[in-house]
Amino acid sequence: MAIVVYRYGHRIARDKRITTHVALVARAFSADGILIDTKDEKIEENIKKVNEKFGGNFFIKSGIPWKEYFKKWNGKIVHLTMYGERIDKVIDEIRKSKDLLIVVGAEKVPKEFYELADYNVSIGNQPHSEVAALAIFLHFLLQGKWLEKDFNGVVKIIPCKKGKKIKYNCLKILEKEGCSKAVIEHCMKVKKLALEIARRLEKNGIKIDMEAIEMGALLHDVGRSKTHGIMHIIEGIKIARKYGLPEKVVGIIKRHAGAGIDEDEAVKLGLPRDDYTPRTIEEMVVAHADNLVGYKYRMLEDAIREFKRKAGKKAVLKLKELHKKLSNLAGIDIDKIVEEIK
Ligand code: SAM
């Protein structure tokens, strides 16, 4: 059954919030899409942003005049109004319909709606809100099954008793942003090495955020979907912010290049003036894992050779220092870890 919501009487300035909420409810409670009578690009954009982050194929179109659309509609029309029949009396019959257009108003709806509708349905005979009416109608219609819908989004909320638990599908972000196969394979390799280094650090008593390592390693090069130049760092930060990724991950993306880029080097390279030197243990681990992955895993010596050629003496020095620091903290030469997972 296709379920489409029609929002009548939207006034851009006054109904901005409530129409957005009608659309959000329609989406969350498993409708296929929403049509709005008045053209409103801002609402379309906002709902598309929600889709981008939280998934699903919910559609939104505004500027759709009701008369023509209602006439063309092939399925049944349900108009939600406090003057209608009680929902519990008609819902079983409505559920048998092939496709449904659910109409909700803003202020007053034209008299014709009551005639054109196959069902005028009330959610209790008191005046309340289109948002509540729509939610309860969809809940009755779908008998609670909307709760099972998997939106397969980049961002997934994990139910928990207290606090907030959010899971991010990083591979999906890489794909959605259009990273090449080679970049994705490189990121997977960096993830594997970074996690292994992190495990050794943890074993040696260092506190480390494994989730940040995994996400940061997978996404450190997401900006390469836009450019392979140094500005991929800035592009990566923008993408991370778009998805609302944790600041820890943004930090890893920002400070992953080489063994760090200080403010003077940044300016020379054309980056915005800032210090891009890894600070946290997670930033250091991902940056160095990246140093030890070219197309394949490589030893420090190979990385040094490349740095000498491409980045100069200062970068080589910093690379050696970072390798030494992490090896000391892990209690094992990082080269040995590379050797093991090669
Ligand atoms: N007098 C209007 C009516 O119910 O037709 C109230 C306007 S109300 C602010 C905006 C929309 O909310 C209505 O067009 C209707 O779709 C929905 N609505 C409000 N109360 C409702 C109820 N008790 N049952 C069903 N829908 C309701």
Side-chain angles (χ1 to χ4, degrees):
M1 177 199 280
I3 304 173
V4 177
V5 173
Y6 189 91
R7 166 52 158 175
Y8 170 80
H10 171 65
R11 295 147 296 184
I12 294 183
R14 217 185 120 172
D15 299 325
K16 186 168 67 186
R17 242 173 90 77
I18 192 125
T19 302
T20 303
H21 285 196
V22 171
L24 288 175
V25 161
R27 179 184 169 277
F29 286 67
S30 275
D32 295 288
I34 188 165
L35 304 166
I36 302 169
D37 55 353
T38 315
K39 185 76 193 157
D40 189 334
E41 276 164 12
K42 192 83 197 122
I43 286 191
E44 287 190 20
E45 202 183 293
N46 287 342
I47 299 301
K48 281 175 189 161
K49 271 191 200 153
V50 175
N51 286 342
E52 179 94 348
K53 206 165 152 181
F54 292 96
N57 300 315
F58 186 78
F59 70 81
I60 176 159
K61 276 188 206 146
S62 64
I64 309 289
W66 65 271
K67 238 179 209 160
E68 293 156 41
Y69 199 85
F70 286 15
K71 277 191 189 133
K72 272 196 303 191
W73 181 255
N74 259 330
K76 300 283 183 197
I77 299 182
V78 174
H79 170 218
L80 297 182
T81 163
M82 67 173 174
Y83 303 104
E85 298 177 274
R86 276 174 57 149
I87 185 166
D88 49 335
K89 305 286 181 216
V90 285
I91 197 69
D92 290 337
E93 196 184 313
I94 294 176
R95 209 177 285 122
K96 289 180 198 144
S97 320
K98 200 174 141 271
D99 296 328
L100 273 191
L101 185 67
I102 305 164
V103 182
V104 291
E107 231 170 6
K108 227 180 174 182
V109 302
K111 277 200 187 114
E112 291 135 287
F113 276 28
Y114 294 83
E115 298 310 316
L116 272 170
D118 297 285
Y119 303 95
N120 289 293
V121 178
S122 69
I123 313 293
N125 298 105
Q126 300 297 318
H128 49 81
S129 132
E130 49 273 49
V131 178
L134 179 62
I136 291 185
F137 177 80
L138 288 171
H139 184 67
F140 265 83
L141 179 74
L142 301 170
Q143 297 173 295
K145 288 194 192 82
W146 61 275
L147 271 165
E148 308 303 329
K149 181 168 172 148
D150 184 0
F151 284 80
N152 194 18
V154 158
V155 176
K156 196 171 186 165
I157 311 293
I158 312 297
C160 65
K161 205 164 176 182
K162 285 187 181 172
K164 299 176 183 173
K165 204 166 175 201
I166 305 170
K167 195 125 189 71
Y168 297 89
N169 187 339
C170 298
L171 266 182
K172 202 167 180 151
I173 296 179
L174 292 173
E175 284 164 8
K176 261 175 99 88
E177 292 303 318
C179 285
S180 68
K181 222 173 139 217
V183 167
I184 296 177
E185 270 168 21
H186 165 80
C187 292
M188 303 274 278
K189 285 204 175 82
V190 172
K191 178 191 97 170
K192 193 170 167 198
L193 179 56
L195 280 175
E196 200 44 49
I197 298 173
R199 264 182 227 117
R200 299 299 180 107
L201 288 162
E202 210 174 36
K203 229 169 127 190
N204 219 28
I206 310 289
K207 213 171 151 264
I208 195 155
D209 184 338
M210 288 292 184
E211 210 179 335
I213 291 274
E214 181 168 356
M215 287 174 67
L218 275 174
L219 293 172
H220 73 283
D221 267 350
V222 66
R224 288 188 183 271
S225 56
K226 306 286 178 288
T227 170
H228 284 289
I230 195 65
M231 287 301 276
H232 79 275
I233 296 178
I234 306 302
E235 294 297 339
I237 295 170
K238 274 193 221 156
I239 295 169
R241 293 243 156 86
K242 179 174 85 179
Y243 291 106
L245 299 181
E247 273 309 300
K248 258 190 184 177
V249 177
V250 177
I252 293 175
I253 295 172
K254 180 171 175 182
R255 292 181 271 272
H256 82 268
I261 299 170
D262 63 31
E263 213 171 306
D264 291 341
E265 291 166 318
V267 173
K268 276 186 208 144
L269 288 169
L271 282 165
R273 180 178 284 281
D274 210 338
D275 187 1
Y276 300 82
T277 308
R279 299 170 189 169
T280 64
I281 189 73
E282 291 83 7
E283 288 169 8
M284 288 186 230
V285 168
V286 174
H288 200 46
D290 186 31
N291 292 332
L292 300 178
V293 181
Y295 289 108
K296 37 188 188 169
Y297 295 111
R298 63 186 184 187
M299 299 294 162
L300 176 65
E301 275 311 309
D302 299 324
I304 291 175
R305 246 193 307 278
E306 192 199 297
F307 271 49
K308 258 186 197 151
R309 213 166 11 94
K310 289 192 181 161
K313 272 188 196 153
K314 194 171 162 188
V316 171
L317 263 174
K318 285 202 265 186
L319 173 69
K320 284 183 183 170
E321 264 170 37
L322 184 57
H323 188 90
K324 200 167 148 197
K325 184 169 185 175
L326 287 173
S327 299
N328 284 340
L329 288 172
I332 177 175
D333 190 321
I334 304 295
D335 266 354
K336 288 222 173 82
I337 303 177
V338 177
E339 189 75 66
E340 279 170 24
I341 69 163
K342 241 179 170 182

